[in-house]
Amino acid sequence: MLWACLHFPLLALETIARGGPGRAPLAVAAGDTRPRIIALNAAAARAGVRPGMAVAGALALAPGLDVHPPRPQAEAQMV
């Protein structure tokens, strides 16, 4: 029996960005009561946003940050 393990760390972000130019800060956040950033593009990183950061803190660093929830169905279709 053969097994393969694939790791796509930016898949959540890529389902939202869809190959766009990525000039505007963009992030994906998950969590019920206190959502945290799970993926972000280079523009958000340049603004100081980091994975694991609370959305409120990320918005304080990058007021124009576009935050989206994960889209598991879209991720499943892309793989």
Side-chain angles (χ1 to χ4, degrees):
M1 180 181 299
L2 297 175
W3 289 88
C5 178
L6 304 174
H7 181 65
F8 301 105
L10 297 178
L11 186 61
L13 184 68
E14 291 172 355
T15 59
I16 294 165
R18 293 283 185 177
R23 292 187 184 111
L26 176 67
V28 178
D32 293 329
T33 57
R34 290 190 176 176
R36 302 247 173 220
I37 303 296
I38 59 171
L40 60 139
N41 67 358
R46 282 191 299 273
V49 179
R50 299 288 176 255
M53 180 179 279
V55 170
L59 288 170
L61 290 172
L65 182 65
D66 192 10
V67 181
H68 294 270
R71 297 172 47 197
Q73 294 174 343
E75 293 172 28
Q77 291 177 350
M78 288 185 73
V79 177

